[in-house]
Structures are given as structure tokens and as C-alpha cells.
Amino acid sequence: MDDPSLWTFALLALAGLFAGFVDAVVGGGGLVLLPALVIAFPGAAPVQVLGTNKLAGTCGTTVSSLTYYRRVRPDPRTFVPLMVVAFLGSALGAVAASHIPASAFDPLILVALVVVGAYVLLRPDLGEVTALRFSGHRHTAAAVLAGLAIGFYDGALGPGTGSFFVFTLVGLLGYSFLEASAKARIANWATNVAALLVFAAQGAVVWKIGLVVGACNLLGSYVGARTAVARGSRFVRVFFIVVVSAFIVRIGWDVVTSLGA
């Protein structure tokens, strides 16, 4: 990556700020930041874009995870195994990232987002309060399987990971949106760190750009986490629907244009 102009840096800083806010509330900041990095550095290798995005994302999820943990106090019996397995899955996904074209994921992500958005929209009471659907080992097993699958996806590509974590914790396990967001941030922090370690070992991280954008992402994440905690599950649910709808439009456009190319 070449050194960007001051104007490009400013745009990336704004993208990092907004991505941090979105990511802290419902996840999916990568769907904001990754396109911004691709536009800013059209000649960069995909693995460089992914690695630099992970650095920025790690900055943001670190502060949002701490904010959620201090204010929501999520149950460690769920988030610890979820976090550990998600870390392993993300490391495996990051190793595979250089061999998987991003275009292969777009149709799958689009279908998943449409299903997720429709399910949440058609069930207005979903995620208002925590009503766990499993207990004991079944609960842990469901969390672990979800963590492994979503963690692998995050390491391999990443956009929308937090949203998938939130939906799984709400729709499958039965948490409220606020508590799901808290656990999702902690799990997403683990996946970001795992992928960042792999990308850094490959020399794929552009540290100067990633740290500048990461500082803005951190600020956005702090504001987003505090806003979500203050406004509660209803706000998170509405924001989730809005963000998922926007992602469907953007990825849908990418799929349509790629088919017409």
C-alpha cells in the first residue's frame, strides 16, 4: 500500500469511526470499513486489506468489549467457551483467507442476511428479554459450534461477523439483544485478535494506516457500546434491522454487478 493523501486519510478516519459505532451496537463494521479500504487502496493485495482491517477492528472491539463487560456483566459460562473456540476458528479461517476468493462468499452472505433480517423483522418480541432455549452442556455445545463456524468465517473474510454472532445468540440461544451484543463483542474481539496474529505473521498488516483508522474505530466503538447499554435491547433490535437491511442492499448490488460483468 502507498501512503494515502490527507483527504484519503480523513475519509478512512470517518469510515473507521462509523464502523466502530455500528460494530459496537450490532456488529458488521467490516461491511463499512473493508469497502473503504478497497476504494482507498485499489492496488493492494486482498490479504493486506484484510490484515489492516483486522488491526482497526481489534482496536474497536477491545474497547467495546471492556465497556460491555463492565456495564452488562455477561455470563462467562457462555462467552468464555464461545470466545476460545471462535479464536481457534478465526485463526484457521485467516490461514485459508489467501486461498478463498471474496466473491465466493457474497451470494452466501446475502442469503444469510436476508434470512436473518426477515426472521428478526417478523418476530417483534424476539430478543426483548433473555429466555434461554438450552441449558447445561447443550447450551455450551450450541455456543461452541456457533463460535467455530462464525470464527472461521471472520478469519477468512469477516464482514458481518458481529451481526451473525448477535443473531445466533438471540435466535438460537435465546439471549436479549443487549446481552447478545455484549457476548458478541467479546467473541468478535477474540476472532479479530486471532486473525490479526496470523496476518501479522504473514507481513500483511499495514500498521501505520491500521493504527490511525483503529484509533477512530476505537472512539466509535466506545460511543456505540455506551449508547447500546443506555438505550437497551429495543434500540439494539431496531438498529440491527436497519444495519442488516443496508448490508443486504450493498452486497446485493455487488452480486448483481458481478453477474452482469
Side-chain angles (χ1 to χ4, degrees):
M1 287 184 182
D2 298 326
D3 286 343
S5 65
L6 188 60
W7 175 246
T8 301
F9 246 136
L11 291 177
L12 284 174
L14 288 175
L17 187 70
F18 181 61
F21 183 90
V22 171
D23 209 45
V25 180
V26 294
L31 283 165
V32 176
L33 192 52
L34 265 179
L37 287 167
V38 170
I39 292 170
F41 305 103
V47 71
Q48 284 184 303
V49 175
L50 290 172
T52 306
N53 175 65
K54 284 302 171 194
L55 174 57
T58 299
C59 294
T61 50
T62 297
V63 71
S64 59
S65 297
L66 290 173
T67 302
Y68 272 120
Y69 183 78
R70 288 170 56 195
R71 293 176 175 268
V72 179
R73 294 293 180 182
D75 186 353
R77 290 175 297 180
T78 299
F79 81 73
V80 169
L82 178 68
M83 179 178 66
V84 171
V85 176
F87 180 95
L88 297 174
S90 181
L92 292 173
V95 171
S98 59
H99 306 291
I100 304 175
S103 58
F105 282 97
D106 283 350
L108 295 175
I109 298 171
L110 180 61
V111 171
L113 287 173
V114 169
V115 172
V116 165
Y119 188 78
V120 173
L121 188 63
L122 294 174
R123 297 195 55 183
D125 60 336
L126 184 70
E128 287 192 358
V129 296
T130 294
L132 299 183
R133 296 182 175 84
F134 305 107
S135 61
H137 295 306
R138 292 180 65 196
H139 181 88
T140 303
V144 164
L145 288 174
L148 185 62
I150 300 173
F152 182 89
Y153 164 75
D154 190 32
L157 190 60
T161 295
S163 297
F164 291 136
F165 269 128
V166 170
F167 174 75
T168 300
L169 288 163
V170 172
L172 176 64
L173 296 179
Y175 286 100
S176 70
F177 268 103
L178 181 60
E179 196 165 354
S181 287
K183 290 179 171 64
R185 287 307 91 229
I186 296 171
N188 205 178
W189 173 81
T191 62
N192 280 339
V193 170
L196 176 61
L197 291 173
V198 174
F199 288 132
Q202 296 174 347
V205 180
V206 183
W207 293 95
K208 181 170 66 174
I209 295 168
L211 288 172
V212 171
V213 178
C216 298
N217 194 269
L218 185 152
L219 178 61
S221 292
Y222 178 73
V223 175
R226 287 182 66 92
T227 301
V229 172
R231 301 291 295 273
S233 288
R234 188 173 294 275
F235 168 78
V236 177
R237 179 185 185 276
V238 172
F239 200 80
F240 181 89
I241 293 172
V242 171
V243 169
V244 168
S245 299
F247 291 163
I248 288 171
V249 172
R250 195 192 74 77
I251 296 176
W253 175 257
D254 289 345
V255 172
V256 170
T257 52
S258 67
L259 291 175

